[in-house]
């Protein structure tokens, strides 16, 4: 169902169903799309858990959500997706709490640092954080996801269209190019979300998994990643800011979160599907179901990536 909201122009917005009694976990919820998603879920009545790397930003995010959703139950947990020990610690905490998870949004990410950085385990930072960290987290939380018959939505990007997995160099150790590594990580996200749904259906796990991408959305991601390790600020953020002011090929956080919000909450959104903006080039627009990119259509690639990922992170999805 669609409503119109007057923000100076007519904007399509989503009506989120009542989520009272549901537990939602949103990674990367301290700012940007994740914070916007957490706020919308809390306003719909969900209890929201925000796993965050920076406790100061996490505390500020709680204030934002509580101001927008008075009376909401929202809390933070510690998580650094670039550390498998941190992933394991968060999973152990949530498993000990024992609450079934009903909504899981794998949103956190790193984007195009100009030089190669590594996770605690030595994985290339984008592949390790965006894909492997989430893969390990979801694998460890599988009992809670199954108990909640969860809807799992993984955030990919239109960059996955150009992604390619170099099976001989998944960690970009031989040759690093920021955009190529980002494209590969986002392709891995797309493969993961679709393959999780296939495995859930085959194994009777009860999990519905899909994938979304936000289009080109003005968030901190365009500044934090490209500036990582730089002495001079990247021009990337300035260019995006200018396009956003012109209203050309870039939209706001509130617009960019809609595909993921639809994928995660709409009764019409289905597992094994891909959602994103319906506008020109998928840069902006209202949420719609997209054709899966050609780069992600090979199910044997998805199965191979799954097997490799289980070996790399030391976590198996045991659905028995």
């Amino acid at each position: 169902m669609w409503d119109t909201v007057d923000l100076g122009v007519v904007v399509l917005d989503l009506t989120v169903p009542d989520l009272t009694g549901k537990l939602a976990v949103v990674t990367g919820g301290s700012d940007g799309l994740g914070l916007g998603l957490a706020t919308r879920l809390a306003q719909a009545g969900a209890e929201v858990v925000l796993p965050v790397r920076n406790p100061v930003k996490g505390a500020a995010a709680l204030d934002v959500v509580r101001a927008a959703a008075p009376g909401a139950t929202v809390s933070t947990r510690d998580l650094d997706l670039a550390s498998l020990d941190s992933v394991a610690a968060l999973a152990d905490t949530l498993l000990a709490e024992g609450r079934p998870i009903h909504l899981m949004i794998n949103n956190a990410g790193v984007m195009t640092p100009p030089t190669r950085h590594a996770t605690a385990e030595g994985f290339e930072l984008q592949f390790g954080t965006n894909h492997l960290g989430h893969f390990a987290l979801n694998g460890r939380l599988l009992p809670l996801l199954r108990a909640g018959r969860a809807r799992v939505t993984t955030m990919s990007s239109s960059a996955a269209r150009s992604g390619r997995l170099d099976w001989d160099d998944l960690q970009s150790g031989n040759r690093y190019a920021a955009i190529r590594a980002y494209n590969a990580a986002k392709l891995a996200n797309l493969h993961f979300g679709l393959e999780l749904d296939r495995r859930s259906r085959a194994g009777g796990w009860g999990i519905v998994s899909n994938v979304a991408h936000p289009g080109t959305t003005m968030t901190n991601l365009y500044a934090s990643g490209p500036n990582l390790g730089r002495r001079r600020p990247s021009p990337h953020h300035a260019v995006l800011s200018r396009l956003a002011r012109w209203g050309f090929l870039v939209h706001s956080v509130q617009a960019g979160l809609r595909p993921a919000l639809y994928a995660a909450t709409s009764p019409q959104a289905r597992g094994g599907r891909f959602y994103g903006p319906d506008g020109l080039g998928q840069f902006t627009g209202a949420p719609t179901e997209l054709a899966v990119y050609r780069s992600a259509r090979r199910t044997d690639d998805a199965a191979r990536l799954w097997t490799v990922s289980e070996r790399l992170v030391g976590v198996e999805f045991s659905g028995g």
Side-chain angles (χ1 to χ4, degrees):
M1 180 177 178
W2 298 93
D3 292 331
T4 57
V5 178
D6 185 4
L7 297 175
V9 293
V10 175
V11 179
L12 284 172
D13 198 9
L14 284 168
T15 298
V16 180
D18 182 17
L19 299 177
T20 302
K22 305 294 187 183
L23 177 64
V25 177
V26 183
T27 68
S30 60
D31 62 15
L33 293 166
L35 178 54
L37 288 164
T39 301
R40 294 296 298 272
L41 297 177
Q43 288 173 327
E47 177 182 345
V48 182
V49 171
L50 301 180
V52 297
R53 184 172 57 88
N54 184 323
V56 174
K57 289 181 67 176
L62 294 183
D63 289 342
V64 170
V65 176
R66 288 168 178 156
T73 302
V74 56
S75 58
T76 59
R77 303 290 189 281
D78 294 331
L79 174 65
D80 181 355
L81 284 163
S83 163
L84 293 181
D85 286 344
S86 178
V87 169
L90 171 64
D92 288 345
T93 296
L94 294 178
L95 288 166
E97 292 172 5
R99 293 281 309 283
I101 297 171
H102 304 97
L103 296 171
M104 179 84 192
I105 302 183
N106 299 312
N107 165 74
V110 180
M111 181 179 180
T112 61
T115 58
R116 187 184 185 279
H117 293 257
T119 69
E121 291 73 30
F123 305 128
E124 188 275 318
L125 185 63
Q126 296 179 91
F127 189 80
T129 300
N130 300 0
H131 169 60
L132 291 176
H134 281 119
F135 183 92
L137 181 60
N138 284 255
R140 289 185 180 277
L141 293 178
L142 188 62
L144 300 182
L145 297 172
R146 292 194 64 186
R149 301 187 66 81
R151 179 86 64 96
V152 177
T153 296
T154 300
M155 194 74 83
S156 184
S157 165
S158 59
R161 238 182 323 211
S162 305
R164 186 178 71 85
L165 297 175
D166 184 346
W167 299 107
D168 296 321
D169 189 25
L170 283 175
Q171 310 306 329
S172 303
N174 298 331
R175 187 165 58 107
Y176 177 79
I179 292 177
R180 184 172 62 242
Y182 180 71
N183 294 352
K186 290 286 110 178
L187 173 58
N189 287 146
L190 181 51
H191 272 313
F192 167 70
L194 300 178
E195 182 68 8
L196 176 58
D197 193 74
R198 285 189 283 265
R199 292 185 182 238
S200 175
R201 285 186 280 110
W205 298 351
I207 295 167
V208 173
S209 174
N210 55 31
V211 185
H213 90 76
T216 307
T217 306
M218 199 62 224
T219 71
N220 247 358
L221 202 61
Y222 286 97
S224 57
N227 285 321
L228 188 61
R230 280 186 184 271
R231 293 184 177 180
R232 294 182 179 179
S234 165
H236 206 153
H237 189 262
V239 171
L240 266 293
S241 297
R242 190 172 299 115
L243 290 173
R245 287 197 300 272
W246 295 340
F248 180 65
L249 303 181
V250 181
H251 56 189
S252 68
V253 167
Q254 290 305 313
L257 63 80
R258 290 180 299 165
L261 187 65
Y262 178 85
T265 66
S266 173
Q268 283 73 48
R270 294 180 288 173
R273 304 304 171 102
F274 182 34
Y275 297 93
D278 65 358
L280 175 68
Q282 301 177 13
F283 293 106
T284 62
T288 191
E289 182 179 326
L290 303 173
V292 173
Y293 298 144
R294 186 179 299 274
S295 58
R297 291 179 190 171
R298 290 178 58 96
T299 57
D300 55 339
D301 279 353
R304 182 178 182 181
L305 177 64
W306 191 280
T307 300
V308 169
S309 299
E310 285 188 327
R311 175 176 56 79
L312 289 174
V313 303
V315 175
E316 293 186 1
F317 281 66
S318 177

